[in-house]
Amino acid sequence: MSENTKVHLIGNAHLDPVWLWQWQEGYAEIKATFRSALDRLNEFPEFVFTCACAAYYQWVEENAPDMFAEIRERIAEGRWVITGGWWIQPDCNLPSGESFARHSLYGQRYFQEKFGIMATVGYNVDSFGHHGMMPQILKQSGMDYYLFMRPEEHEKHLENDLFWWESEDGSRVMTFRLSDSYANFTKHGKDAKILKHQRLAKEKGHDYMSFYGVGNHGGGPTVANLQLIDEIREEHGREQIILSSPNQFFTDMITENPAIPVVKDEMQRHAIGCYSAHSESKANNRRAEHRLLSAEKFSSFANVLLGLPYPKAPLNLAWENVMFNQFHDIMGGCSIKEAFDDVREFHGEALAIGARTLNAALQKISWAINTMKPEVKSLSKDKDWQTWEQDDLGAPIVVFNPLSWEVETLVKVNKKLTSVTDEAGTPIPLQTVRASRTNGRDDKWDSLITARVPAFGYRVYWTYRDKDIPAAPLAGEVLVDNNVLENAQIRVQVDAHTGYISSILDKLTNTELLNGKGAVPIVIDEHHSDTWGHHLVQYRDEIGRFGDAQIKVLEQGPLRVTLRVTSYYNNSVLRQDISLGHHSSDIQVRVQLDWREKHKMLKLSFPIHVEQPQSVSEIPYGFIERPTNGNEVPGQQWVDVYGLAPNTADGEEQQVRGIGLLNDSKYAYDVQGSEIRMTVVRSPIFADHFSERDDDQVEYMDQGVQEFGYTLVPHSGSWKDGRLVQKANELNVPPLLMWETYHEGSLPQISEGIVISDAAIVATTFKRAEDGDGWIVRCYETLGQETESAFKLPALQREWSAAFRKCEIKTFFVPDDAGSAVKEVNFVELAETE
């Protein structure tokens, strides 16, 4: 108990730019709220205003420059306090790790450019949960402190509202959880929020923050607020209740150094339905994140190698769109229906920018590749194209790999081919598969080839439409027969009536990998929930399953076989194309769902046949192990269940094995025991907070057709042995293909863009530095182990090495000046000494 503690009153205005209104209304309200805050600053000399989100300031700058100038003066005075350092207050579970880095990069640099400061306090008071890598991400963003509200005490018990929050790499930030709302207080007397916080401060022995101001739709502190505060301060002590800011609070706490606990955990869970609400916006977020990263990588190489101007301005605009759509009420799927029309447009612009910049870079690179083979050069230049085609000298295609490791995968070529060779003339196997077109009886076929492409690189393959160049026989055979897919490693059997996977047999060990039926489409009742999934921790009220399946062989060839399984529930139709390649035990599935249910959820179930199961899943720039208790949790591109293999013979040591489940657009799942259930779709009412169910004017989410993909990855050993990070990215970022013709060029027909010596290190980013005097390479350690890795960037003729702590993220600045050393910087692209 301490009598010297203070209550820091934080005047703020929680501004949802989108929620029960569209962004245009949010835009107007931000101007009105900022005007109100400036007026209060003029009227009350002690008043201090706190506000985050660079996007808001950008709007005011472009639309109300005079008011922006006033804000700049108040910031310089210290009475208008910048917190947050991010573009917006995002959902803090679902954006990728690199998206969090971009919030910091663009938010902090905006604040520095416009106001000469950067935020030191992370600020997300309304987000619905916070992943476990946040402390490191905040530290890498120049922020040593964090402020949040959810999960509240009834959702997650914490020993103290003030604590040190630590992530897996050892990074720590001093963190404060609001014990009450960020919005206004209305009670007087002994029940006033301020006095409650004064009692808590004395009880805990350290200062407390108490927020006030009209919120959600903006507004901020009112005259009545400030007059009441003055009365309370007069009665209960002006020195003990102060008008303050989060910056001042944390500065005081560092000075006072109270004894507070260390917490090493994620901050979950609030609004579990937001992990899966509104599938389209979540899928487009994933697509846009990856496309922009690919566009940056190849724009960088096209600039370095060929002088193509780096498209900084359009790419920054695209990232701003993506970041804005990661606002928690957008990314969480809980805004009004009209808002998601705007979301589609913002994503569309970002994806279009990404497509144009990526195409320009790939075209520039492929056009500079020397494709003049000796037999091409020997032809007379006056031969017409009909002769060239008759000679069938081959048409070159360039396959690009945006990932930082060599990728070997199947690539679909949109022509029916007779043969294919690599750049050295070695024939490679191919398979004829159905095309998306039906251009007459014969022109409806494409070709499938196996491509092996270097990291951050490309490779030329030569395609022939008439010339038959036999390839060497494949090492393994893949077969399909009615309802069975099989290769040398694995046998997959589908139940003929239900369409469920009845068996996955590991042929190498002759053991069954499923503990029951897999890929089971389970329908969950959601009539007693709302859009957010408030007050829930699980979705397990099963009311039905898809069934009455129809199965047909879709593909049959030397590289891949596919079964199409179509099943039904009421008026909804689920189509799963289950594929198995000749060389791998991975089971790839493309899904088309026509969903017609209301107040229901669809999950796909996969019971894994292991004992003592453990579950690990991807979070932004990291991973986390969670209890296998059936609770709904957020995840990113993969989740894994592994454990001890059962039925071990007497005297033999039990082996560890598991199955990873990868996805290309989903963010929610649960694991109960050894059963993974991936959440596919929900159909609540838009922006519904427990409405009356007899309202026939409401509209439901996710009605109609959606498509996505997932992959099952059986593996021996723990999740670390499954290459899950790499395989999940290969699912989400397939190779890119460019058709070419014959021409001289300065580039070879195969090229490697990056070499990383340690397989645990993944490079996610290669881009131009924001200051324009070098390049940025961002990497992270993926397996939770200390390591050292060497790096090479052949295009820049640079080599360096670095030591990584477990789960550490490192950003390297590679100067244009070859005489300057590569150095480590943070997300804002500043060294620690800057």
Side-chain angles (χ1 to χ4, degrees), residues 497-514:
H497 175 63
T498 63
Y500 311 153
I501 297 178
S502 57
S503 171
I504 300 178
L505 181 70
D506 181 346
K507 294 174 65 175
L508 302 180
T509 61
N510 195 34
T511 56
E512 177 59 48
L513 302 183
L514 291 180

PDB file of all heavy atoms in Angstrom, residues 497-514:
ATOM      1  N   HIS A 497     -18.958 -42.862 -49.563  1.00  0.00           N
ATOM      2  CA  HIS A 497     -20.273 -42.263 -49.322  1.00  0.00           C
ATOM      3  C   HIS A 497     -20.170 -40.862 -48.734  1.00  0.00           C
ATOM      4  O   HIS A 497     -20.792 -39.930 -49.221  1.00  0.00           O
ATOM      5  CB  HIS A 497     -21.094 -43.155 -48.383  1.00  0.00           C
ATOM      6  CG  HIS A 497     -22.410 -42.546 -47.995  1.00  0.00           C
ATOM      7  ND1 HIS A 497     -23.398 -42.280 -48.913  1.00  0.00           N
ATOM      8  CD2 HIS A 497     -22.882 -42.131 -46.786  1.00  0.00           C
ATOM      9  CE1 HIS A 497     -24.438 -41.739 -48.288  1.00  0.00           C
ATOM     10  NE2 HIS A 497     -24.144 -41.627 -47.004  1.00  0.00           N
ATOM     11  N   THR A 498     -19.352 -40.697 -47.711  1.00  0.00           N
ATOM     12  CA  THR A 498     -19.288 -39.407 -47.027  1.00  0.00           C
ATOM     13  C   THR A 498     -18.342 -38.422 -47.702  1.00  0.00           C
ATOM     14  O   THR A 498     -18.509 -37.207 -47.579  1.00  0.00           O
ATOM     15  CB  THR A 498     -18.834 -39.592 -45.574  1.00  0.00           C
ATOM     16  OG1 THR A 498     -17.504 -40.138 -45.567  1.00  0.00           O
ATOM     17  CG2 THR A 498     -19.767 -40.529 -44.826  1.00  0.00           C
ATOM     18  N   GLY A 499     -17.302 -38.933 -48.373  1.00  0.00           N
ATOM     19  CA  GLY A 499     -16.281 -38.064 -48.935  1.00  0.00           C
ATOM     20  C   GLY A 499     -15.191 -37.707 -47.954  1.00  0.00           C
ATOM     21  O   GLY A 499     -14.276 -36.948 -48.282  1.00  0.00           O
ATOM     22  N   TYR A 500     -15.243 -38.246 -46.738  1.00  0.00           N
ATOM     23  CA  TYR A 500     -14.205 -37.976 -45.747  1.00  0.00           C
ATOM     24  C   TYR A 500     -12.969 -38.814 -46.068  1.00  0.00           C
ATOM     25  O   TYR A 500     -13.056 -39.872 -46.691  1.00  0.00           O
ATOM     26  CB  TYR A 500     -14.677 -38.319 -44.334  1.00  0.00           C
ATOM     27  CG  TYR A 500     -16.030 -37.755 -43.954  1.00  0.00           C
ATOM     28  CD1 TYR A 500     -16.822 -38.384 -42.999  1.00  0.00           C
ATOM     29  CD2 TYR A 500     -16.538 -36.592 -44.550  1.00  0.00           C
ATOM     30  CE1 TYR A 500     -18.062 -37.886 -42.638  1.00  0.00           C
ATOM     31  CE2 TYR A 500     -17.778 -36.092 -44.207  1.00  0.00           C
ATOM     32  CZ  TYR A 500     -18.543 -36.744 -43.249  1.00  0.00           C
ATOM     33  OH  TYR A 500     -19.778 -36.250 -42.903  1.00  0.00           O
ATOM     34  N   ILE A 501     -11.806 -38.359 -45.626  1.00  0.00           N
ATOM     35  CA  ILE A 501     -10.599 -39.164 -45.757  1.00  0.00           C
ATOM     36  C   ILE A 501     -10.633 -40.228 -44.668  1.00  0.00           C
ATOM     37  O   ILE A 501     -10.546 -39.924 -43.479  1.00  0.00           O
ATOM     38  CB  ILE A 501      -9.333 -38.293 -45.625  1.00  0.00           C
ATOM     39  CG1 ILE A 501      -9.276 -37.271 -46.771  1.00  0.00           C
ATOM     40  CG2 ILE A 501      -8.085 -39.166 -45.653  1.00  0.00           C
ATOM     41  CD1 ILE A 501      -8.084 -36.323 -46.696  1.00  0.00           C
ATOM     42  N   SER A 502     -10.779 -41.474 -45.081  1.00  0.00           N
ATOM     43  CA  SER A 502     -10.916 -42.558 -44.108  1.00  0.00           C
ATOM     44  C   SER A 502      -9.568 -43.097 -43.649  1.00  0.00           C
ATOM     45  O   SER A 502      -9.477 -43.721 -42.592  1.00  0.00           O
ATOM     46  CB  SER A 502     -11.752 -43.698 -44.686  1.00  0.00           C
ATOM     47  OG  SER A 502     -11.179 -44.176 -45.896  1.00  0.00           O
ATOM     48  N   SER A 503      -8.504 -42.842 -44.424  1.00  0.00           N
ATOM     49  CA  SER A 503      -7.195 -43.368 -44.050  1.00  0.00           C
ATOM     50  C   SER A 503      -6.090 -42.571 -44.718  1.00  0.00           C
ATOM     51  O   SER A 503      -6.206 -42.185 -45.884  1.00  0.00           O
ATOM     52  CB  SER A 503      -7.069 -44.843 -44.456  1.00  0.00           C
ATOM     53  OG  SER A 503      -5.747 -45.315 -44.281  1.00  0.00           O
ATOM     54  N   ILE A 504      -5.034 -42.288 -43.942  1.00  0.00           N
ATOM     55  CA  ILE A 504      -3.758 -41.825 -44.500  1.00  0.00           C
ATOM     56  C   ILE A 504      -2.709 -42.794 -43.969  1.00  0.00           C
ATOM     57  O   ILE A 504      -2.340 -42.743 -42.789  1.00  0.00           O
ATOM     58  CB  ILE A 504      -3.425 -40.378 -44.088  1.00  0.00           C
ATOM     59  CG1 ILE A 504      -4.506 -39.413 -44.570  1.00  0.00           C
ATOM     60  CG2 ILE A 504      -2.069 -39.975 -44.660  1.00  0.00           C
ATOM     61  CD1 ILE A 504      -4.268 -37.967 -44.143  1.00  0.00           C
ATOM     62  N   LEU A 505      -2.247 -43.670 -44.816  1.00  0.00           N
ATOM     63  CA  LEU A 505      -1.300 -44.714 -44.414  1.00  0.00           C
ATOM     64  C   LEU A 505       0.115 -44.308 -44.793  1.00  0.00           C
ATOM     65  O   LEU A 505       0.411 -44.039 -45.959  1.00  0.00           O
ATOM     66  CB  LEU A 505      -1.653 -46.038 -45.095  1.00  0.00           C
ATOM     67  CG  LEU A 505      -0.749 -47.231 -44.730  1.00  0.00           C
ATOM     68  CD1 LEU A 505      -0.987 -47.654 -43.287  1.00  0.00           C
ATOM     69  CD2 LEU A 505      -0.977 -48.387 -45.698  1.00  0.00           C
ATOM     70  N   ASP A 506       0.982 -44.251 -43.790  1.00  0.00           N
ATOM     71  CA  ASP A 506       2.405 -44.049 -44.038  1.00  0.00           C
ATOM     72  C   ASP A 506       2.985 -45.380 -44.491  1.00  0.00           C
ATOM     73  O   ASP A 506       3.153 -46.315 -43.701  1.00  0.00           O
ATOM     74  CB  ASP A 506       3.082 -43.562 -42.755  1.00  0.00           C
ATOM     75  CG  ASP A 506       4.570 -43.295 -42.941  1.00  0.00           C
ATOM     76  OD1 ASP A 506       5.140 -43.731 -43.962  1.00  0.00           O
ATOM     77  OD2 ASP A 506       5.168 -42.636 -42.068  1.00  0.00           O
ATOM     78  N   LYS A 507       3.301 -45.492 -45.776  1.00  0.00           N
ATOM     79  CA  LYS A 507       3.747 -46.771 -46.326  1.00  0.00           C
ATOM     80  C   LYS A 507       5.165 -47.122 -45.883  1.00  0.00           C
ATOM     81  O   LYS A 507       5.532 -48.296 -45.861  1.00  0.00           O
ATOM     82  CB  LYS A 507       3.661 -46.728 -47.848  1.00  0.00           C
ATOM     83  CG  LYS A 507       2.222 -46.609 -48.364  1.00  0.00           C
ATOM     84  CD  LYS A 507       2.153 -46.428 -49.864  1.00  0.00           C
ATOM     85  CE  LYS A 507       2.662 -47.638 -50.614  1.00  0.00           C
ATOM     86  NZ  LYS A 507       2.473 -47.492 -52.078  1.00  0.00           N
ATOM     87  N   LEU A 508       5.945 -46.114 -45.526  1.00  0.00           N
ATOM     88  CA  LEU A 508       7.319 -46.388 -45.109  1.00  0.00           C
ATOM     89  C   LEU A 508       7.372 -47.082 -43.759  1.00  0.00           C
ATOM     90  O   LEU A 508       8.284 -47.860 -43.477  1.00  0.00           O
ATOM     91  CB  LEU A 508       8.126 -45.092 -45.079  1.00  0.00           C
ATOM     92  CG  LEU A 508       8.188 -44.323 -46.413  1.00  0.00           C
ATOM     93  CD1 LEU A 508       9.017 -43.056 -46.250  1.00  0.00           C
ATOM     94  CD2 LEU A 508       8.770 -45.199 -47.525  1.00  0.00           C
ATOM     95  N   THR A 509       6.393 -46.790 -42.892  1.00  0.00           N
ATOM     96  CA  THR A 509       6.351 -47.413 -41.563  1.00  0.00           C
ATOM     97  C   THR A 509       5.135 -48.310 -41.381  1.00  0.00           C
ATOM     98  O   THR A 509       4.971 -48.929 -40.329  1.00  0.00           O
ATOM     99  CB  THR A 509       6.330 -46.331 -40.478  1.00  0.00           C
ATOM    100  OG1 THR A 509       5.155 -45.514 -40.642  1.00  0.00           O
ATOM    101  CG2 THR A 509       7.573 -45.457 -40.560  1.00  0.00           C
ATOM    102  N   ASN A 510       4.269 -48.346 -42.424  1.00  0.00           N
ATOM    103  CA  ASN A 510       3.034 -49.128 -42.373  1.00  0.00           C
ATOM    104  C   ASN A 510       2.175 -48.742 -41.163  1.00  0.00           C
ATOM    105  O   ASN A 510       1.653 -49.587 -40.442  1.00  0.00           O
ATOM    106  CB  ASN A 510       3.331 -50.634 -42.349  1.00  0.00           C
ATOM    107  CG  ASN A 510       2.095 -51.460 -42.673  1.00  0.00           C
ATOM    108  OD1 ASN A 510       1.244 -51.045 -43.474  1.00  0.00           O
ATOM    109  ND2 ASN A 510       1.965 -52.620 -42.044  1.00  0.00           N
ATOM    110  N   THR A 511       2.037 -47.436 -40.927  1.00  0.00           N
ATOM    111  CA  THR A 511       1.240 -46.949 -39.798  1.00  0.00           C
ATOM    112  C   THR A 511       0.177 -45.973 -40.280  1.00  0.00           C
ATOM    113  O   THR A 511       0.383 -45.218 -41.247  1.00  0.00           O
ATOM    114  CB  THR A 511       2.122 -46.258 -38.755  1.00  0.00           C
ATOM    115  OG1 THR A 511       2.866 -45.195 -39.386  1.00  0.00           O
ATOM    116  CG2 THR A 511       3.083 -47.242 -38.119  1.00  0.00           C
ATOM    117  N   GLU A 512      -0.941 -45.981 -39.585  1.00  0.00           N
ATOM    118  CA  GLU A 512      -2.049 -45.081 -39.884  1.00  0.00           C
ATOM    119  C   GLU A 512      -1.819 -43.738 -39.201  1.00  0.00           C
ATOM    120  O   GLU A 512      -1.492 -43.671 -38.012  1.00  0.00           O
ATOM    121  CB  GLU A 512      -3.364 -45.690 -39.403  1.00  0.00           C
ATOM    122  CG  GLU A 512      -4.588 -44.803 -39.589  1.00  0.00           C
ATOM    123  CD  GLU A 512      -4.824 -44.418 -41.044  1.00  0.00           C
ATOM    124  OE1 GLU A 512      -4.787 -45.318 -41.914  1.00  0.00           O
ATOM    125  OE2 GLU A 512      -5.019 -43.205 -41.291  1.00  0.00           O
ATOM    126  N   LEU A 513      -1.976 -42.644 -39.953  1.00  0.00           N
ATOM    127  CA  LEU A 513      -1.693 -41.309 -39.434  1.00  0.00           C
ATOM    128  C   LEU A 513      -2.927 -40.588 -38.901  1.00  0.00           C
ATOM    129  O   LEU A 513      -2.794 -39.567 -38.211  1.00  0.00           O
ATOM    130  CB  LEU A 513      -1.041 -40.451 -40.514  1.00  0.00           C
ATOM    131  CG  LEU A 513       0.275 -40.999 -41.093  1.00  0.00           C
ATOM    132  CD1 LEU A 513       0.851 -40.009 -42.097  1.00  0.00           C
ATOM    133  CD2 LEU A 513       1.283 -41.283 -39.989  1.00  0.00           C
ATOM    134  N   LEU A 514      -4.110 -41.090 -39.230  1.00  0.00           N
ATOM    135  CA  LEU A 514      -5.342 -40.483 -38.726  1.00  0.00           C
ATOM    136  C   LEU A 514      -5.934 -41.332 -37.611  1.00  0.00           C
ATOM    137  O   LEU A 514      -5.854 -42.557 -37.643  1.00  0.00           O
ATOM    138  CB  LEU A 514      -6.376 -40.323 -39.843  1.00  0.00           C
ATOM    139  CG  LEU A 514      -6.095 -39.295 -40.933  1.00  0.00           C
ATOM    140  CD1 LEU A 514      -7.247 -39.285 -41.938  1.00  0.00           C
ATOM    141  CD2 LEU A 514      -5.889 -37.902 -40.354  1.00  0.00           C
TER     142      LEU A 514
END
